[in-house]
Amino acid sequence: MLLQREDLKKAKRVVVKVGSSTITYTNGKRNYFRIDRLARELSDLQNQGKEMILVSSGAVAVGVDRLGLPEKPKTIPGKQACAAVGQGLLMHTYEKFFAEYGQIVAQVLVTRSEMLDRHRYTNARNTFMELINRRVIPIVNENDVVALDELKIGDNDNLSAMVANIVDADLVIILSDVDGLYTANPQTHPDAKLVDRVEEITPEIEASAGGAGSSVGTGGMCTKIQAAKSATTSGINLVIASGSKNDAVSRILNGENIGTLFVSKENRLQFRKRWLAFGAKISGKVVVDDGCEKAIRKSGGCSILPVGIKSVEGDFDAGSTVSVVTEAGHELARGLTHYSSAELQTIKGARSSEIEHLLGHKAYDEVIHRDDLVILN
Ligand code: GLU
């Protein structure tokens, strides 16, 4: 059955995106009231055991204000200079408010290359996971200062979907200056209605989303729909709601019917497994012993430990997709390996408790986690 609003109560890892227009006034000054409320709300959700990730725009807008410019510069170096000035101020403000609520935050600046290059993807993912496991709230923005044109995402709506993909989030909430998706542009069509739920992003929806947004923000509805499309096709649900509503994030996570919910047809695990089975490039082979083969078949997919590995073929890095092969040479499964081929040569056949001694470090007990393994038969 497709996801219902009530099911959002179960969302654990949640990416919240706030636009410049939500946290700054039109004159570029920071809206401390909203930033404080956001920090308080996310800290409270974090205290409930959720894993919150904030994607925040506003670097350019805050920089424009700090430099005393009448408007956002038109040139790229002009905007980059504003972002360089504003990003520090933005983080300072978040640090101050989150600290009030006893919450540690971290600045994470990314570019599109984190998505395009496997090494960078794995590296970014590992850093995010480390922060999440340490109960830190990552505050993410695009690295505007260095992002070259061809590597620029350009808007934080798409960035939030990308981050959700990297961290395997359950849900993305985009807080905006609109209440959600309308049947038509509400500024020109007063009878336009708010759409509560979208199960399929049709070409009509894409066309009706139109162009750019407010004077301080970048995206408008168009980039939000792109983000929704990218999130839902990779198994992640997404809600667009107004950032000016009180406690919008908590209310959405309480199953309340606010904003527009874009429903993903499959869940993240199903998506991940499908991608592993059919989409991923296979970089090598891990041959498992009889005991491991039986355990995998019997359980319908368990984690693979070093002790069950007989041999390794190919030259691959940690984070690569590998074939899991039986001793008879049958491809049993595919999975994402936590260790490189060189590391596996050293730890194959060993107990997990020996990994640290053998490698000098231990990131994981298992070589392939059960969630990262798909059985082929
Ligand atoms: N990264 C830009 C900033 O922080 C904003 C991009 C956007 O508005 O979507 O100013």
Side-chain angles (χ1 to χ4, degrees), residues 17 19-20 56-61 72 83 87 90 141-142 144 152 154-157 159 216-219:
K17 183 259 170 178
S20 306
S56 176
S57 308
V60 175
K72 186 151 98 177
Q87 180 63 27
L90 193 62
N141 199 355
E142 182 156 21
D144 292 312
K152 222 172 151 38
D155 69 89
N156 280 5
D157 295 323
L159 176 69
V216 282
T218 307

Side-chain angles (χ1 to χ4, degrees), residues 40-152:
R40 179 176 148 169
E41 192 178 10
L42 297 198
S43 300
D44 190 64
L45 288 161
Q46 186 83 0
N47 282 353
Q48 292 172 27
K50 300 209 182 277
E51 297 167 340
M52 307 303 291
I53 294 122
L54 176 62
V55 172
S56 176
S57 308
V60 175
V62 170
V64 169
D65 169 55
R66 185 74 173 95
L67 289 167
L69 306 178
E71 59 179 24
K72 186 151 98 177
K74 303 251 172 333
T75 65
I76 291 180
K79 283 184 207 150
Q80 288 183 312
C82 288
V85 171
Q87 180 63 27
L89 291 167
L90 193 62
M91 275 315 292
H92 174 78
T93 312
Y94 278 126
E95 174 64 47
K96 189 168 135 63
F97 284 114
F98 275 100
E100 273 301 300
Y101 302 107
Q103 179 58 53
I104 305 177
V105 293
Q107 169 180 271
V108 182
L109 300 178
V110 293
T111 62
R112 196 150 66 97
S113 46
E114 267 68 53
M115 210 53 190
L116 300 177
D117 177 306
R118 195 165 38 77
H119 282 108
R120 298 186 65 128
Y121 181 94
T122 310
N123 192 40
R125 180 177 161 85
N126 290 344
T127 309
F128 271 114
M129 296 326 276
E130 184 78 28
L131 290 168
I132 291 169
N133 291 337
R134 289 182 187 277
R135 306 294 299 145
V136 172
I137 298 186
I139 302 185
V140 192
N141 199 355
E142 182 156 21
N143 196 345
D144 292 312
V145 180
V146 298
L148 300 167
D149 232 8
E150 64 273 19
L151 285 182
K152 222 172 151 38

